[in-house]
Amino acid sequence: MTNSTKTLCPYCGVGCGLEVSPPAQPGKAVNRDTEGTPIWQVRGDRSHPSSQGKMCIKGGTVTESLGKDRLKYPMMRDSLNEEFRRVSWDQAMEAIVNQIHKVRLTQGPEALCMYGSGQFQTEDYYIAQKLFKGFLRTNNFDANSRLCMSSAVAGYIQSFGSDGPPCCYEDLEKTDCAFLIGTNTAECHPIVFNRLRTYHKKNRKVKMVVVDPRRTQTAEAADLHLAIKPGTDIDLFNGIAYLLMRWGLIDSIFIDECTQNFAAYADVIRHYPPELVARNCGIRLDELETAAKYWGRSQRVLSLWSMGINQSSEGTAKVRTLINLHLMTGDIGKPGTGPFSLTGQPNAMGGREAGGLCNILPGYRLVNNPQHRAEVEQFWGLPSGTIQPQRGRTAWEMIQGLETGDVGFLWIAATNPAVSMPDIVRTKAALKRSPFTVYQDAYYPTETAAYAHILLPAAQWSEKTGVMTNSERVVNLCPQFRDPPGEARADWEIFAEVGRRLGFEKSFSFQNSAQVYAEFVQITEGRPCDSSGLSYEKLRRYGPLQWPYADTWPCLEGEELAHQNRTNKRLYRDFRFNTPDGRARFAAYHSKGLAEPPDQAYPFVLTTGRLYGHWHTQTRTGRIPKIQKKHPKPFIEIHPRDAAKLNIEENAILEVRSRRGKARFPAKITKAITPGTTFVPMHWGELWAEDAEANALTHPNSCPTSLQPELKACAVHIRVVTEQEWAMVSQKSLEEVIPNSLLTVD
């Protein structure tokens, strides 16, 4: 095979197009990694509408990890104290099905749980929803989008009546004012940022505002950097709104004709005069006024946000209060405008479309809506009342259920909660108590594998065909271009096989992923995320396409089809929203601040985040030498003023303690962080570094609406580790961190 394959990068939600070619090409040297292993060659797909041929270091090196440390065969053990033994797929499936039957009989379906991932393709998500929410009669499916995007989901639903980012990447090059908050876009979504930065440099009148306690690479490019104190986002938004009202820089006609609840919002913002807001946020008054002028005097304002807003006990309130500013000025539904959440994972958007959270159903439907439940039941051929009316367990509630014994079966797939969950000490203790955990992943070992009774080898990106949706609602077909190792299978195939063995043969008799996708798009017909006109055939023929894409369009060809897709780049172009009366909703929120503010015992705020090269818990990137060389070890950023108070020198080992746990990091003294605030990257679990887990420190307090934990801020105490103490610290080998039985599986 010498032909290249067009596909999508499997890392962040930017959704960059890649073109992948076999290691050996006629007349050329075989492409190899640093160890001499032949690897597939990767370059950016210049025809891809989202990334236009660009890619970052993660996309450029992704094929280097495909064959390393793979889980190739099903493995089982009866208890966590035993070693794994290799078993057949039949044996593994029999054990899983028997446990599901047992738990349903003894504890009921509410004791069954699955925790999935934005790494799933849409087909994987959809079959998991059909199995759990439909045929097993439990809504206990949640995904790591709960830790990532659920506040954005809730904010969009409450403000506009439906999930779905209303913007597109083209808006990056049409805006007058880009307002970035809670996002280090330059490192976390670099190709999006590069498009914005290039446009910003060429257009001197275009303003860029970055709000972040750290002076990140993103903030370095801004016209205005607001280094607000963590937890004061709503103060800032309401303070900007106060000034817009005072100066008359609002769209009264849009407010009157297209929105509701403005009076309640206006009553709230009058309590946020600029002097008070500047003091609360820790910024200068003139900085606040400049931000408000940029917003109010621009014709087209585009806001972008990510985890810094979502991962908060006020996550939904922050999202809605930011959206308020767009509604106040009419900055939505037009080129260069709108509130744009930057998705964290490659198919978190597709997961939302497929119903991949415990409170939603396929097609942007809600579990608590009787009509929505009835529509899905009818589509799946289920009796009325089959789908439960209450939401299922969130990811954290699954952990709590293990603690209480209410969860009897836990299936984890394509994610690594033994590193990524908050309060990781408590999380690991709960995972140890699980009576039966199935762990389905492509790589081995991982930290979560230590807590599994059954390991299932999953085919990953490149080894299966499926669809993913990026942050701007562009749907991409990702074809298989290599064989999965050993006996690895696609996630959807594993779920469907369990469904058939449970007795639901007819409903899970799919022969390939194209059939799964064909069924999925039908359930979206008439919904805000209508994809009913899409198919593998159409995606192969025309390339990536954006929803909504209704079934009424198949007759269109060529330029007509392309034009139809272009006109649907933005939602709410007619200023009609997905609410019963078609009006968007203002939200009236006062600022509450951090769930765990600093105090005398824990005087610093710790915030966490990503680095440019690494991805989540390093399951892929930790196995790529180029990225490991770029980011060799964790660290903690601390301001020089704070370092001086504690006699901290550069690279000194600091012990960081919270009310839940501790970790140790070398100090990185920098003026790029606000005094009183510290930062550590979240990528290192115990496989990759000793005693350096960010989530040993974080807490599970969450937004009451989105139920998303406040992973972005917790209170900590910091002290220098003495040389004597450090010398006494045992340098654990990999075998000491993870049991030897996990390292010997072939």
Side-chain angles (χ1 to χ4, degrees), residues 154-285:
Y156 280 143
I157 290 173
Q158 291 189 355
S159 291
F160 300 143
S162 173
D163 188 10
C167 313
C168 63
Y169 294 158
E170 185 181 276
D171 293 323
L172 298 165
E173 294 143 350
K174 292 186 176 295
T175 189
D176 295 334
C177 177
F179 189 92
L180 291 76
I181 181 165
T183 171
N184 183 11
T185 321
E187 293 195 68
C188 301
H189 299 91
I191 304 308
V192 159
F193 185 74
N194 289 347
R195 286 184 66 167
L196 176 61
R197 180 171 54 185
T198 299
Y199 170 72
H200 177 239
K201 285 182 176 179
K202 291 180 180 178
N203 297 271
R204 304 177 92 184
K205 293 183 179 179
V206 173
K207 301 301 180 184
M208 186 191 302
V209 180
V210 172
V211 185
D212 196 313
R214 301 171 64 216
R215 190 167 183 82
T216 61
Q217 292 182 32
T218 309
E220 289 287 348
D223 298 287
L224 176 64
H225 172 216
L226 299 178
I228 65 171
K229 296 177 183 177
T232 61
D233 310 80
I234 292 177
D235 296 88
L236 177 67
F237 298 149
N238 285 346
I240 291 174
Y242 182 104
L243 290 171
L244 295 177
M245 282 277 286
R246 174 191 283 180
W247 299 334
L249 298 176
I250 64 174
D251 190 335
S252 299
I253 295 176
F254 180 86
I255 292 170
D256 291 343
E257 296 184 357
C258 303
T259 72
Q260 279 196 0
N261 205 38
F262 179 71
Y265 173 55
D267 187 58
V268 165
I269 62 177
R270 67 184 178 87
H271 297 286
Y272 291 82
E275 295 79 10
L276 175 64
V277 168
R279 185 165 62 251
N280 289 347
C281 293
I283 59 177
R284 301 194 310 270
L285 178 60

Side-chain angles (χ1 to χ4, degrees), residues 359 361 366-373 388-391:
N359 55 309
L361 293 169
L366 302 175
V367 160
N368 62 7
N369 185 309
Q371 181 180 343
H372 289 180
R373 295 196 304 274
Q388 299 303 296
Q390 65 279 350
R391 67 167 178 83

Side-chain angles (χ1 to χ4, degrees), residues 73-381:
Y73 308 102
M75 309 296 295
M76 283 180 59
R77 59 182 173 182
D78 298 322
S79 75
L80 301 188
N81 296 322
E82 299 178 6
E83 292 189 3
F84 281 109
R85 61 188 184 276
R86 179 175 167 180
V87 297
S88 68
W89 271 104
D90 277 342
Q91 290 172 299
M93 288 290 180
E94 182 180 8
I96 291 169
V97 169
N98 287 344
Q99 184 68 13
I100 290 175
H101 280 312
K102 175 185 174 182
V103 170
R104 291 176 79 191
L105 181 65
T106 58
Q107 293 180 270
E110 290 309 306
L112 303 171
C113 294
M114 178 179 281
Y115 182 44
S117 166
Q119 296 285 303
F120 280 166
Q121 292 173 335
T122 299
E123 295 83 352
D124 305 322
Y125 264 117
Y126 176 69
I127 296 300
Q129 306 318 300
K130 188 175 184 180
L131 176 61
F132 267 70
K133 294 175 180 174
F135 289 81
L136 291 179
R137 302 193 63 183
T138 175
N139 293 323
N140 290 341
F141 178 99
D142 213 34
N144 50 22
S145 289
R146 179 67 58 192
L147 310 182
C148 179
M149 300 307 300
S150 55
S151 292
V153 174
Y156 280 143
I157 290 173
Q158 291 189 355
S159 291
F160 300 143
S162 173
D163 188 10
C167 313
C168 63
Y169 294 158
E170 185 181 276
D171 293 323
L172 298 165
E173 294 143 350
K174 292 186 176 295
T175 189
D176 295 334
C177 177
F179 189 92
L180 291 76
I181 181 165
T183 171
N184 183 11
T185 321
E187 293 195 68
C188 301
H189 299 91
I191 304 308
V192 159
F193 185 74
N194 289 347
R195 286 184 66 167
L196 176 61
R197 180 171 54 185
T198 299
Y199 170 72
H200 177 239
K201 285 182 176 179
K202 291 180 180 178
N203 297 271
R204 304 177 92 184
K205 293 183 179 179
V206 173
K207 301 301 180 184
M208 186 191 302
V209 180
V210 172
V211 185
D212 196 313
R214 301 171 64 216
R215 190 167 183 82
T216 61
Q217 292 182 32
T218 309
E220 289 287 348
D223 298 287
L224 176 64
H225 172 216
L226 299 178
I228 65 171
K229 296 177 183 177
T232 61
D233 310 80
I234 292 177
D235 296 88
L236 177 67
F237 298 149
N238 285 346
I240 291 174
Y242 182 104
L243 290 171
L244 295 177
M245 282 277 286
R246 174 191 283 180
W247 299 334
L249 298 176
I250 64 174
D251 190 335
S252 299
I253 295 176
F254 180 86
I255 292 170
D256 291 343
E257 296 184 357
C258 303
T259 72
Q260 279 196 0
N261 205 38
F262 179 71
Y265 173 55
D267 187 58
V268 165
I269 62 177
R270 67 184 178 87
H271 297 286
Y272 291 82
E275 295 79 10
L276 175 64
V277 168
R279 185 165 62 251
N280 289 347
C281 293
I283 59 177
R284 301 194 310 270
L285 178 60
D286 66 295
E287 291 177 321
L288 174 63
E289 291 175 338
T290 299
K293 288 175 183 175
Y294 284 167
W295 190 299
R297 293 175 180 175
S298 298
Q299 298 300 308
R300 300 182 299 276
V301 181
L302 179 71
S303 67
L304 302 107
W305 79 91
S306 192
M307 300 309 109
I309 293 293
N310 293 335
Q311 290 179 334
S312 169
S313 57
E314 298 181 285
T316 304
K318 289 180 180 180
V319 171
R320 295 202 66 193
T321 309
L322 176 59
I323 290 174
N324 283 348
L325 294 177
H326 287 276
L327 299 179
M328 194 177 191
T329 55
D331 281 303
I332 189 170
K334 300 175 290 188
T337 69
F340 199 171
S341 65
L342 297 176
T343 313
Q345 295 216 63
N347 198 36
M349 278 294 299
R352 287 145 68 175
E353 296 154 23
L357 289 170
C358 68
N359 55 309
I360 60 178
L361 293 169
Y364 277 3
R365 293 176 174 90
L366 302 175
V367 160
N368 62 7
N369 185 309
Q371 181 180 343
H372 289 180
R373 295 196 304 274
E375 290 169 355
V376 176
E377 287 166 346
Q378 183 178 12
F379 185 83
W380 284 341

Side-chain angles (χ1 to χ4, degrees), residues 21 55 151 223 240 326 443 462 484 569 657 691 705 735:
S21 303
M55 62 180 180
S151 292
D223 298 287
I240 291 174
H326 287 276
Y443 290 96
S462 78
K569 281 183 175 293
R657 284 185 176 269
D691 202 18
T705 303
E735 288 80 4

